[in-house]
Amino acid sequence: MQADRQVAHPHEPATALSGETESITMRRKSPLIARFDRMAPAMENLPDFYDWVVGVFSHYHLAKDASIADVGCGPGALLERLAGLGYGRLLGTDFSQASLKLAAPRAPGARLLLHDIEEAPLPETQDVVLMTTVMDFLASPHPALANVRATLRPGGLFFVTIRNLWAYFPWYHLRGLAGSLERLPRARHWLLQLTTPLALRRGDWPYEAMYTPRDARSMLAKAGFRIVGVHGAQVLPMLWVPGVPWMRALQRVLEGSMGLVAPPWLKYRLMFVCTAP
Ligand SMILES: C[S@@+](CC[C@H](N)C(=O)[O-])C[C@H]1O[C@@H](n2cnc3c(N)ncnc32)[C@H](O)[C@@H]1O
């Protein structure tokens, strides 16, 4: 049942919300925002993730005075790193006030804005927009991407990450065998448990998605972006069990060996770097 949610998003229409839908959406959203507020301290990833993001970012040699917006900045881990690298015109936006409160002391030079990217573009055009691990939690990714597109100055760069469903090949696809285990409910349960990506298994968020690279490419194209770079990190995510400390060491070993030769589209974290005319 949860796996169905990952295919629902890519096929949503890219139309703007009508006034009526918008107010319904806003009313529906307050419990969601309250949940992001409550979970704000847990919205931070492991440091390796941000190391990878700023490593990719640094390849693009952006001017230190570029205007940079971190959309869905959460508790500010990325803003803090970008400030540390000397970027001076940072804007962090999030629809969760609690996240912005956590971000404020970490990047004191950055401006922060309470803003819902599914509802409107940012009030100022930006040279660069980053959106890391936000697509995976959006109820309506299409309007969000259209709003980022409208925020980006022509020729600007958009860095966006997704969690890649293909990285679970072939495990995820073994789920199809569950149908033949109807008479063995326990075996069926464990097959589904072991072949379903953790993100889709947890079920503690109303919207939690994983995308295939193809889904992401088509959503980005629909929003008017041109992809100029694809980068990946984290091989064999099925081996990752949170809370087991040596798993992280194992992941690092895998990254430094298999990760160096595996193509990006087989890795769990995928970053698309896009521009727009
Ligand atoms: C998993 S956290 C990622 C935080 C940060 N980007 C990072 O990589 O550390 C997702 C963030 O997206 C924010 N978010 C989700 N939907 C949003 C929306 N429609 N508009 C703005 N922020 C949103 C949440 O409040 C949360 O802080």
Side-chain angles (χ1 to χ4, degrees):
M1 190 178 73
Q2 287 169 21
D4 292 339
R5 290 190 309 202
Q6 57 81 20
V7 292
H9 296 162
H11 304 299
E12 275 181 7
T15 48
L17 295 167
S18 71
E20 194 188 348
T21 323
E22 190 171 329
S23 61
I24 293 168
T25 307
M26 291 312 287
R27 250 183 280 134
R28 280 213 193 115
K29 258 191 187 168
S30 46
L32 175 69
I33 296 173
R35 190 185 289 220
F36 274 108
D37 278 337
R38 275 198 307 280
M39 296 296 285
M43 286 288 112
E44 184 158 341
N45 247 296
L46 291 173
D48 311 38
F49 173 74
Y50 302 103
D51 289 345
W52 169 65
V53 172
V54 296
V56 171
F57 191 79
S58 303
H59 279 153
Y60 289 82
H61 303 294
L62 294 156
K64 293 290 191 240
D65 64 351
S67 56
I68 301 175
D70 183 6
V71 168
C73 64
L78 192 53
L79 286 173
E80 184 178 21
R81 281 171 184 245
L82 293 172
L85 289 173
Y87 292 98
R89 291 174 63 203
L90 297 173
L91 171 67
T93 75
D94 205 293
F95 69 4
S96 150
Q97 183 80 60
S99 293
L100 295 179
K101 274 196 183 140
L102 293 173
R106 298 180 73 174
R111 291 180 305 141
L112 297 173
L113 177 70
L114 190 65
H115 178 268
D116 183 341
I117 195 60
E118 288 161 293
E119 296 299 324
L122 299 186
E124 294 161 13
T125 308
Q126 302 290 321
D127 298 324
V128 179
V129 176
L130 291 132
M131 209 161 82
T132 59
T133 68
V134 175
M135 281 283 286
D136 319 305
F137 291 95
L138 289 176
S140 312
H142 288 294
L145 290 176
N147 288 329
V148 170
R149 168 76 184 81
T151 298
L152 201 64
R153 77 154 166 76
L157 285 180
F158 175 39
F159 295 77
V160 58
T161 69
I162 60 155
R163 296 180 299 191
N164 174 15
L165 198 53
W166 278 359
Y168 285 86
F169 182 85
W171 310 111
Y172 181 73
H173 302 275
L174 295 177
R175 291 166 55 81
L177 297 175
S180 58
L181 292 175
E182 292 298 345
R183 295 220 201 116
L184 298 167
R186 195 171 284 266
R188 185 175 182 279
H189 169 85
W190 282 110
L191 177 80
L192 289 174
Q193 180 75 11
L194 295 173
T195 54
T196 304
L198 183 70
L200 300 177
R201 212 192 289 161
R202 285 200 323 223
D204 52 357
W205 289 98
Y207 307 106
E208 183 148 11
M210 288 186 75
Y211 298 102
T212 67
R214 194 182 293 156
D215 292 333
R217 280 178 182 280
S218 110
M219 286 191 288
L220 290 165
K222 212 170 189 175
F225 290 108
R226 188 166 63 83
I227 297 170
V228 294
V230 184
H231 306 263
Q234 218 175 316
V235 279
L236 302 180
M238 221 61 180
L239 291 183
W240 172 252
V241 180
V244 180
W246 58 265
M247 282 285 177
R248 197 164 156 218
L250 175 66
Q251 278 292 335
R252 284 188 168 160
V253 171
L254 289 172
E255 264 325 88
S257 50
M258 280 181 72
L260 299 178
V261 288
W265 49 267
L266 265 186
K267 297 182 180 177
Y268 177 57
R269 300 285 182 185
L270 259 195
M271 184 186 290
F272 292 90
V273 185
C274 310
T275 188

